[in-house]
Amino acid sequence: MYLVRYSEVFLKSEPVRRHWESALVKNIKRAVGDCKIRTDRGRIWVEGVINPEKLKKVFGVVSFSECEHCKLDELEKLVIEFCKKAKIEHARTFAVRVKRVGTHDFTSQQKAAELGALILKEFPRLKVDLKKPEKEIFVEIRDDDCYIFDKVIQGVGGIPLGAQGRLVALFSGGIDSPVAAWLMMKRGCEIIPVYLDNSPFTDHTTLKRVESVAEVLRGCQPDFELRVIPHGDFLLRAKEVLSRRKMENYTCILCKRQMYRTAEAVAREEGAKGVVTGESLGQVASQTLENLLVLDEACSLPVYRPLIGFDKLETERIAREIGTYERSILPAKSCEAVPKKPTTKAKLEKVLEVEAELGEEYGC
Ligand code: ATP
Ligand code: MG
């Protein structure tokens, strides 16, 4: 049996808490498979043979412990058995920590002292150290039920997936956008990942990479299905117009604005409430305040950029942790439409002039 702790669910009003809790229970079931789940005053109990690695990844799970259960009148006996199984005699010092919910004729501290004395009697070479023990035995008493454990495994934390509605992510498969999407998932948003296929300026290697990265995030959200939308035709036509106007340095801005429009259209179709991108201020020449201002103008939904203040190394650290990094650095053809010197100071008036020319065909 596993005792699962969650945090932020706790801070909310009753109806919100119930909504979040049921999302969390559903997500745990979906992640770990066949199991029995029960909730009780700030805790979730999962019964069954499960893979703890899967439980760790469920958003909203702060920590969990594999535990043994008994009734209050069996506690003494089970604590000693548990200590034997946990090889408590390998430690020099120990502490018993007791938490209690319900009405009892003893305090948590009294029960901890009582159990500590019992353990000392069984293992006389041990010493009690309440400050820095080598071994801790935790006991949670809830009315007549007791749960004993000795390890606390950290989970990913955050808010249960689905508790916050949906967002469209512009998902390229590079290092940044998967991390950006994951961070919003961690705050409870279900993600619809959209990949704009720039072929013939990229090829199947780029598509294979993004598909492979999406597969990793499917471990966090089972219906994380990549939408691949052709974008190469627009880019070809935009390049023609830009080249005629000697404005090749605007290629990436025009391309990105059209990506934002496509993302917005998908979001409106799906009832999603915004768009997520992996942009980070100043990371590449094109991600300047001036350029982001011009990009935002193309999209009337909020654009969320969770990486905006991150250093590349911070993003890479998260990418490694969530398992997307290795796939994001797979060899893939980079976009051949990128000009020699993309502008860092795009001007909206100039962009609008070019788009007016492209407008009819592409809905700019
Ligand atoms: P990433 O590491 O996410 O690829 P990047 O550092 O390469 O980002 P850009 O290429 O400027 O930066 O892209 C900025 C953002 O635009 C990406 O994080 C992603 O959200 C979006 N984006 C870029 N290319 C595509 C694409 N082909 N399909 C969908 N979204 C894209
Ligand atoms: Mg990229």
Side-chain angles (χ1 to χ4, degrees), residues 170-172 174-177 194-196 256 259 277-279 283-284 286-287:
L170 277 172
F171 198 84
S172 69
I175 294 169
D176 300 317
S177 44
V194 170
Y195 170 69
L196 281 309
K256 232 14 101 45
M259 287 187 179
T277 75
E279 279 133 352
Q283 189 188 92
V284 289
S286 60
Q287 292 168 17

Side-chain angles (χ1 to χ4, degrees), residues 47-79:
E47 253 178 282
V49 184
I50 65 159
N51 178 354
E53 288 307 311
K54 292 195 168 158
L55 193 51
K56 267 188 199 173
K57 285 191 191 165
V58 177
F59 299 110
V61 171
V62 170
S63 67
F64 60 92
S65 301
E66 189 174 357
C67 62
E68 304 229 352
H69 168 253
C70 68
K71 290 294 179 187
L72 193 52
D73 59 2
E74 306 160 325
L75 180 59
E76 275 81 12
K77 196 169 138 243
L78 191 70
V79 163

